[in-house]
Amino acid sequence: MFAIVTNLCLITLLSFRCSADNVDPQFYPTYHLAPPHGWMNDPNGFIYFREEYHLFFQYNPHSSQEPGTAHWGHAKSNDLFNWEHLPIAMYPDKDYDKDGVFSGSAIEEDNKMYLFYTGNVNHEGETPDHNNRQALAYSSDGVNVTKYPDNLIIYGEDFQPDFRDPKVWKHRDQYYMVLGNSFDNSTRGRVLLFKSENLIDWRNVSVLEQSDGDLGYMWECPDFFELNKKWILLFSPQGIEPQGYKYRNLYQVGYFVGDFDYETNMFTVTSEFRELDHGHDFYATQSLSDKFGRRVMVAWDDMWEQVYPELDDGWTGQMTIPRELYLSSDQRLIQRPVREIRNVRASTLYSDRATAGTTVKLSDNAAEIKVTASSFHDFELTLDGGNNTFVNISYDYLRGRVTLERNGDDGIRRTRWRPSGTKLRMQIFVDRSSVELFCGEGEVTFSSRFFPCSEVTMKLGENSCADDLSVYSMRRTMPKP
Ligand code: FRU
């Protein structure tokens, strides 16, 4: 009895330590999905189910300091911005997922939600020191999730130890799954394709694409979908070396465009590998297709091994703004914030032409900033957070490149970009500790976290003016932490 009481006290203490009560809201987003408390990483099981968007995520409810042993956290929304937190969907409570209910995806079938995920088991002191198996769970109501009693669907003995992150879709009456894998003694990454008639029995039918040695040792979180009659293989490779201003983050997200043949299960790549976002914090993307037929993608707006102040604030990690994907005629992915973002705009803080040095104080450090300027001049805009905290966004007309610099080490991210036509257009979303920049029609994006010291002021550069500058404050769509 004493043991039970002590344990209860311990549990109460532990859950108090990381309950929502002691989240410091100073950097907590107002319209981006973040965990109620604790740690968040990859988006999982992103699905439009019974007229609502569900987004699960890698979650440690016990601490914001570390990923811990992954659970699946859960939130739902009508419009991708007003999120409601739901109970934890899956706990690491089986012998085959005891060291992490790792990433995965969801599909709807017979009015049920089916969730595919990776069960991680560690083997301390052994080689390999972990293994990954694929498992299945379901939910009839979209809230309560049941793991099937015998829910291990793919053992994958030939693909151990890094074999994870199932993304599933249906075509005709067959189910398809892509999985991330490392091969050649864990030196090269690849994406495997599996197929099933019944969601339970799966067989490996092809390798969709693999690293030739230069594209990393492990490919995580693969996603594979059709856009504009082409197929996109989107994934998160680990181990690509930086090349100039490319691939500067610890891990990357990038894609190939190509053609896929359901007869042969082969993917023929027709583009080079391209990095998807150029900011500091963007990883582990996942997409869905909803009733409007659009392809909506989110990413973890953070990066492994970043040490940000929110770690000490009782919460860590947020998602990017959900983005609709398009494919341009030159086979590039275009990302635009989903149209529902317009309803998040609150009041207009500024809307006019703007001369050099124009300043606008943001409200609650959350804003949408839209700029139209000449594409034949340099352009610069700073988000000044006081005390040397800042994000500086600039367009270099002569070199045709755009730069996002934030304060601190390794602050510069940069890529080539030239607006098409005479107008330079930028859309910038600030949300307390994040900034997302969309250039032009969304052909270039930067997603970075930044931690302002005080109220943020937007300022145009000393030599920059805008034909049109609009600054909006934003509504709170996330529950207060
Ligand atoms: C990507 C990742 C996945 C894995 C999960 C564990 O960030 O490493 O491959 O399933 O995180 O939390």
Side-chain angles (χ1 to χ4, degrees):
M1 183 60 189
F2 177 70
I4 295 177
V5 173
T6 324
N7 279 341
L8 272 177
C9 290
L10 238 178
I11 291 168
T12 321
L13 253 178
L14 279 177
S15 51
F16 175 73
R17 250 187 33 209
C18 36
S19 75
D21 299 348
N22 52 359
V23 165
D24 183 332
Q26 59 174 332
F27 297 121
Y28 196 85
T30 59
Y31 60 95
H32 284 73
L33 180 63
H37 58 89
W39 171 286
M40 164 192 271
N41 58 282
D42 312 2
N44 295 154
F46 192 25
I47 187 172
Y48 188 69
F49 180 74
R50 297 191 196 154
E51 307 283 311
E52 288 175 316
Y53 296 92
H54 288 255
L55 187 50
F56 301 83
F57 48 89
Q58 292 286 280
Y59 184 43
N60 179 7
H62 304 299
S63 168
S64 58
Q65 302 279 351
E66 48 166 30
T69 307
H71 299 50
W72 272 35
H74 188 189
K76 69 169 187 175
S77 170
N78 288 319
D79 62 359
L80 295 160
F81 291 99
N82 285 281
W83 291 101
E84 177 190 339
H85 288 297
L86 294 173
I88 292 176
M90 287 194 275
Y91 289 78
D93 54 7
K94 302 279 181 213
D95 55 359
Y96 47 81
D97 61 23
K98 70 181 180 55
D99 298 310
V101 183
F102 274 11
S103 286
S105 60
I107 60 166
E108 181 179 347
E109 197 55 24
D110 302 330
N111 214 16
K112 275 197 193 122
M113 196 192 271
Y114 286 89
L115 307 171
F116 302 84
Y117 70 94
T118 299
N120 179 60
V121 174
N122 294 336
H123 306 285
E124 236 165 84
E126 290 174 31
T127 313
D129 64 0
H130 64 280
N131 66 37
N132 292 163
R133 302 220 162 94
Q134 317 316 320
L136 174 62
Y138 70 94
S139 174
S140 302
D141 59 3
V143 177
N144 298 293
V145 174
T146 309
K147 294 179 186 173
Y148 275 106
D150 290 314
N151 74 342
L152 268 189
I153 49 171
I154 306 178
Y155 281 74
E157 297 309 341
D158 296 342
F159 307 115
Q160 298 300 331
D162 292 296
F163 172 56
R164 55 181 175 266
D165 310 336
K167 177 80 196 305
V168 176
W169 76 99
K170 187 180 185 185
H171 175 69
R172 307 239 159 94
D173 49 3
Q174 307 275 323
Y175 303 96
Y176 292 82
M177 176 194 289
V178 280
L179 276 159
N181 185 221
S182 178
F183 71 112
D184 217 359
N185 279 324
S186 300
T187 59
R188 293 157 67 191
R190 64 181 173 184
V191 173
L192 304 168
L193 180 64
F194 281 70
K195 202 169 160 181
S196 169
E197 271 85 52
N198 57 12
L199 293 176
I200 308 283
D201 303 302
W202 293 86
R203 59 183 201 286
N204 174 223
V205 291
S206 69
V207 174
L208 281 188
E209 182 57 337
Q210 63 185 35
S211 167
D212 54 11
D214 293 340
L215 273 189
Y217 57 81
M218 169 64 189
W219 290 5
E220 300 190 308
C221 303
D223 200 351
F224 193 52
F225 51 87
E226 205 177 347
L227 261 189
N228 240 355
K229 305 248 161 23
K230 297 292 278 188
W231 281 81
I232 318 298
L233 180 61
L234 177 61
F235 57 101
S236 298
Q238 298 179 296
I240 302 187
E241 293 298 320
Q243 291 169 24
Y245 281 102
K246 276 163 117 180
Y247 316 137
R248 303 289 303 186
N249 296 339
L250 178 64
Y251 305 136
Q252 328 303 326
V253 175
Y255 63 98
F256 286 111
V257 181
D259 300 304
F260 178 63
D261 183 348
Y262 274 114
E263 293 294 312
T264 61
N265 300 308
M266 297 309 280
F267 177 53
T268 310
V269 171
T270 57
S271 78
E272 56 185 352
F273 175 76
R274 293 201 178 103
E275 202 169 3
L276 183 57
D277 185 281
H278 304 277
H280 300 78
D281 296 285
F282 186 86
Y283 199 59
T285 49
Q286 189 166 111
S287 73
L288 60 67
S289 154
D290 66 8
K291 70 166 175 190
F292 307 111
R294 58 185 176 169
R295 180 61 57 180
V296 179
M297 180 202 72
V298 286
W300 182 35
D301 193 4
D302 206 326
M303 177 49 64
W304 288 109
E305 294 178 27
Q306 298 279 29
V307 183
Y308 288 144
E310 69 199 29
L311 287 168
D312 295 328
D313 287 351
W315 70 282
T316 285
Q318 66 174 48
M319 296 298 164
T320 60
I321 290 173
R323 302 165 182 194
E324 186 168 353
L325 297 181
Y326 302 84
L327 191 67
S328 68
S329 50
D330 63 347
Q331 303 198 19
R332 280 168 199 276
L333 277 181
I334 307 291
Q335 304 172 64
R336 293 188 201 140
V338 291
R339 57 179 174 265
E340 288 87 339
I341 188 91
R342 282 189 219 129
N343 301 329
V344 185
R345 273 186 202 162
S347 57
T348 306
L349 302 176
Y350 188 98
S351 178
D352 206 341
R353 299 173 74 83
T355 50
T358 298
T359 60
V360 181
K361 194 172 237 181
L362 307 189
S363 151
D364 206 19
N365 288 358
E368 176 186 345
I369 302 167
K370 278 181 90 171
V371 177
T372 309
S374 161
S375 60
F376 303 115
H377 290 286
D378 289 352
F379 180 81
E380 188 189 358
L381 177 157
T382 303
L383 299 165
D384 184 351
N387 225 357
N388 287 328
T389 59
F390 65 86
V391 164
N392 185 272
I393 290 167
S394 58
Y395 172 66
D396 180 331
Y397 159 65
L398 275 182
R399 296 191 178 84
R401 65 188 195 186
V402 56
T403 302
L404 182 149
E405 180 179 1
R406 71 173 180 195
N407 61 284
D409 293 344
D410 188 28
I412 295 183
R413 290 292 180 274
R414 174 174 285 160
T415 191
R416 284 171 181 284
W417 177 60
R418 226 175 240 300
S420 60
T422 58
K423 295 292 173 217
L424 170 136
R425 290 199 169 78
M426 286 181 172
Q427 203 176 3
I428 301 160
F429 292 91
V430 182
D431 193 6
R432 301 190 63 83
S433 57
S434 66
V435 52
E436 284 160 275
L437 164 64
F438 295 80
C439 298
E441 297 299 308
E443 58 268 27
V444 163
T445 64
F446 289 74
S447 307
S448 293
R449 303 296 304 279
F450 105 106
F451 295 84
C453 253
S454 53
E455 283 183 15
V456 174
T457 302
M458 188 229 73
K459 184 173 186 210
L460 288 200
E462 292 307 331
N463 294 311
S464 301
C465 55
D467 303 342
D468 186 47
L469 171 71
S470 300
V471 184
Y472 306 95
S473 65
M474 301 302 258
R475 231 179 278 290
R476 166 176 289 283
T477 60
M478 277 297 296
K480 277 203 165 139

